[in-house]
Amino acid sequence: MKHLSIRSKITLWFAAALVIVVSLTYVCILSVSNQVLQKTIKDNLIETVENNMDEVEYYESMDAITEPNDVDYFIRYGDAFLEIDDDFLDSVNQVYTALYNSDLFMLYGENPVAKQCASLSLQNMTIQTVKAYGVRYYVFDRELTGEGLEGLWLRGVVSEKQGKEDLSTITMLSMVIMPVIVAVAIYGGSLIAKRTLEPIQKISETVEHISRGNDLKKRIELDKGDDELHLLAEQFNSMFARLDDSFEKEKRFTSDVSHELRTPMSVIMAQCEYSMDENSSLDEYAESIQSIYSQGQKMTVLINQMLDIARLEMRPENYPKERVDLSALTDSICKDMALIKEKGIAISSHIDAGLFISGNPGLLARAISNLISNAYHYGKDNGHIDVFLKKVEEQVVLTVSDDGIGIAEENIPKIFDRFYREDSSRTQNGTGLGLSITKEIVQFHGGTIEVKSLLGIGSTFTVIFPSERGNAL
Ligand code: ADP
């Protein structure tokens, strides 16, 4: 069965099982019906002979017959007479009955196998068998009782094949019908197997296409259905989508990283070349080293942030979660950051006490500080920052608002992308990774982050965390 397709295997097994079951059923039905038939034949024989017993009467002389009936039959029996009633059935439905004396001499009736029966002794109320013309016959003897009938016997015979003609017609018919039924069932089964297994074919074709052409955009396309194979195809499709998504991200990340590192690297290279010029003055050397140092610092920040993102994505187990008092954590960050006093910006916090979530305190502190430090960076001179923390329904909601430069509407969807920086903020010393790290951290805690912003008016970042279950929040 090595080279057989699943469809052929299923059909073969199905066909074999069907043939076995049908044949067994057929054999059982035949043997049971044969047994029933034999019993019916014997019962019939006994009943006919028993009925005939009342139809024989003894008369000492013809004068004793009070109501003579010309259809009855009379035979001489020694000095007396025997009257055989016209109801005596010597041949009915292939059951034959004959009247015998104890010497097995037939006095009346019919027996088609009389010769073969002659060797069978008379045995009252017993069914014996005799073979004649290659067929078995049942023989049933009954000794007559009643006055004058002593020593007289009725012998009934019937062939075991009685009524078998009907059975053999049924057998013949079923011999024709059975293979037809089996053939139809196999054909139907094979069609169903083909239809059921079609999705597997498509799944394997798509997987092969993807692995051959590295085209993760391809999806398994099946007709509507909700069986296991459709579910499998759906799971495959969502796996391809996830793989495609992460490959795309990976590609973008690698190209962004090389792009971001290229600028500081070329500045460093240029400064080095410039410093290697023997005619440079001490001041010029100092200036070059200062520039190299600041580019190096920028690269360090960038590399550290990239490592943080990779670590959070690859090894989330490095950031165990615990019960965190988000109120206390946010309050202390606000207090610390109030010390910055950058651009004369004032920060005010409105924090409801005792709001707990399940999370990693280090990561949460990082996300909150990122939002607040952005509010400082992109805030206006003497502006305001408002930090709110409250419980809304079963969630803990953190908002950080500023009245700073705001974000252009068309750029809002991009600001959580890695390395994205608005043109207006290029002058700032950022890497464009802060918000994407913040978003990763929020998602790591099962939360969401969104922003509302108006250019020139200010921005509000809203983070929603699911509250810690079972805690008095
Ligand atoms: P970075 O601040 O290092 O540039 P971020 O990922 O933190 O990177 O932010 C991405 C961009 O989103 C910023 O360059 C800036 O243009 C915009 N942005 C973030 N926060 C604010 C804010 N509070 N107000 C205005 N623009 C903001």
Side-chain angles (χ1 to χ4, degrees):
M1 290 230 172
K2 217 174 163 190
H3 305 295
L4 283 182
S5 66
I6 295 180
R7 181 190 166 195
S8 317
K9 279 185 198 168
I10 291 179
T11 313
L12 260 177
W13 279 110
F14 174 70
L18 193 71
V19 168
I20 291 171
V21 169
V22 170
S23 313
L24 278 180
T25 316
Y26 186 65
V27 167
C28 284
I29 289 175
L30 266 192
S31 90
V32 169
S33 63
N34 193 42
Q35 278 173 29
V36 171
L37 193 72
Q38 294 307 312
K39 186 163 183 324
T40 315
I41 292 171
K42 288 177 187 168
D43 288 350
N44 224 349
L45 172 68
I46 294 170
E47 202 187 323
T48 312
V49 173
E50 294 281 351
N51 282 342
N52 281 337
M53 278 181 69
D54 297 335
E55 311 304 338
V56 182
E57 274 187 71
Y58 173 84
Y59 291 99
E60 278 189 352
S61 72
M62 287 297 272
D63 306 334
I65 300 165
T66 46
E67 287 170 46
N69 186 341
D70 28 296
V71 273
D72 291 347
Y73 189 77
F74 292 91
I75 46 176
R76 191 168 259 289
Y77 182 51
D79 296 334
F81 294 93
L82 292 176
E83 183 206 356
I84 315 293
D85 202 276
D86 68 329
D87 290 338
F88 186 97
L89 302 171
D90 48 5
S91 157
V92 60
N93 289 338
Q94 298 167 35
V95 180
Y96 302 94
T97 317
L99 179 66
Y100 283 86
N101 68 14
S102 47
D103 297 329
L104 263 175
F105 179 77
M106 194 198 285
L107 301 172
Y108 178 79
E110 277 191 50
N111 185 350
V113 288
K115 232 199 268 167
Q116 289 83 349
C117 282
S119 55
L120 281 187
S121 60
L122 289 159
Q123 284 186 29
N124 196 25
M125 296 175 78
T126 315
I127 289 191
Q128 307 182 73
T129 53
V130 67
K131 258 212 143 133
Y133 319 113
V135 178
R136 257 188 341 153
Y137 280 80
Y138 296 119
V139 179
F140 180 70
D141 299 325
R142 194 74 167 85
E143 187 172 15
L144 293 182
T145 51
E147 207 193 320
L149 297 175
E150 301 84 10
L152 288 174
W153 290 75
L154 285 185
R155 167 163 278 186
V157 291
V158 67
S159 152
E160 65 162 354
K161 290 249 183 275
Q162 187 216 31
K164 271 236 171 126
E165 301 78 31
D166 303 343
L167 207 63
S168 59
T169 326
I170 296 171
T171 314
M172 288 300 291
L173 212 66
S174 46
M175 281 298 193
V176 178
I177 291 174
M178 195 185 83
V180 174
I181 292 176
V182 170
V184 169
I186 290 172
Y187 179 67
S190 139
L191 274 189
I192 292 173
K194 184 180 173 224
R195 278 198 63 136
T196 316
L197 296 175
E198 228 164 37
I200 293 191
Q201 183 72 23
K202 287 204 177 155
I203 291 172
S204 88
E205 275 169 18
T206 313
V207 172
E208 207 202 316
H209 180 96
I210 290 176
S211 64
R212 214 183 323 116
N214 254 339
D215 175 16
L216 275 171
K217 297 267 178 283
K218 181 109 177 115
R219 297 286 175 269
I220 302 163
E221 277 153 26
L222 296 183
D223 302 335
K224 272 201 173 331
D226 51 7
D227 57 17
E228 293 87 336
L229 289 178
H230 282 81
L231 201 71
L232 180 72
E234 235 171 70
Q235 286 165 348
F236 261 122
N237 279 344
S238 60
M239 185 182 81
F240 295 149
R242 275 201 312 277
L243 280 179
D244 186 29
D245 191 45
S246 62
F247 275 159
E248 282 298 320
K249 273 191 192 155
E250 224 44 63
K251 257 198 302 200
R252 199 156 42 91
F253 190 64
T254 321
S255 87
D256 285 348
V257 168
S258 41
H259 184 256
E260 291 298 316
L261 288 178
R262 199 174 293 143
T263 318
M265 270 320 281
S266 43
V267 175
I268 289 173
M269 294 299 283
Q271 289 298 335
C272 288
E273 273 168 30
Y274 181 63
S275 316
M276 281 187 294
D277 187 342
E278 288 164 13
N279 300 327
S280 297
S281 68
L282 215 55
D283 280 352
E284 283 167 334
Y285 277 134
E287 207 178 297
S288 292
I289 288 172
Q290 178 59 41
S291 168
I292 291 170
Y293 178 69
S294 93
Q295 293 303 324
Q297 255 183 335
K298 205 174 168 185
M299 283 168 73
T300 310
V301 173
L302 190 76
I303 290 165
N304 282 342
Q305 281 182 327
M306 274 165 15
L307 281 177
D308 285 342
I309 290 180
R311 223 174 275 149
L312 187 57
E313 274 185 356
M314 310 288 222
R315 303 225 181 286
E317 66 275 10
N318 283 353
Y319 300 95
K321 287 182 184 165
E322 59 188 68
R323 190 166 183 253
V324 179
D325 184 347
L326 199 63
S327 307
L329 185 71
T330 314
D331 193 44
S332 95
I333 294 170
C334 287
K335 282 186 179 135
D336 286 349
M337 298 200 88
L339 302 174
I340 296 174
K341 294 211 171 80
E342 201 179 311
K343 301 186 209 163
I345 295 173
I347 178 166
S348 44
S349 52
H350 319 267
I351 297 166
D352 289 355
L355 298 183
F356 286 85
I357 67 163
S358 157
N360 181 282
L363 290 180
L364 289 169
R366 177 100 176 261
I368 300 169
S369 346
N370 274 355
L371 291 179
I372 298 177
S373 70
N374 271 355
Y376 271 109
H377 283 150
Y378 305 109
K380 281 184 198 149
D381 289 348
N382 303 320
H384 298 90
I385 299 174
D386 284 292
V387 178
F388 288 85
L389 187 74
K390 52 183 185 279
K391 188 185 161 197
V392 178
E393 289 169 356
E394 281 311 298
Q395 294 158 327
V396 178
V397 180
L398 169 81
T399 50
V400 178
S401 311
D402 63 64
D403 49 5
I405 60 170
I407 307 161
E409 202 182 333
E410 67 273 16
N411 295 334
I412 288 180
K414 300 182 213 154
I415 60 162
F416 294 104
D417 290 351
R418 284 173 192 170
F419 300 112
Y420 177 77
R421 312 195 64 217
E422 258 196 311
D423 286 342
S424 55
S425 52
R426 290 276 164 204
T427 46
Q428 296 284 340
N429 240 351
T431 57
L433 283 173
L435 279 182
S436 73
I437 294 177
T438 306
K439 190 175 179 182
E440 295 260 356
I441 294 173
V442 170
Q443 284 175 342
F444 177 73
H445 289 87
T448 56
I449 181 165
E450 58 179 50
V451 59
K452 284 202 169 70
S453 185
L454 282 175
L455 202 58
I457 306 271
S459 315
T460 300
F461 287 82
T462 307
V463 180
I464 302 177
F465 291 111
S467 74
E468 191 204 33
R469 271 193 161 187
N471 278 305
L473 298 172

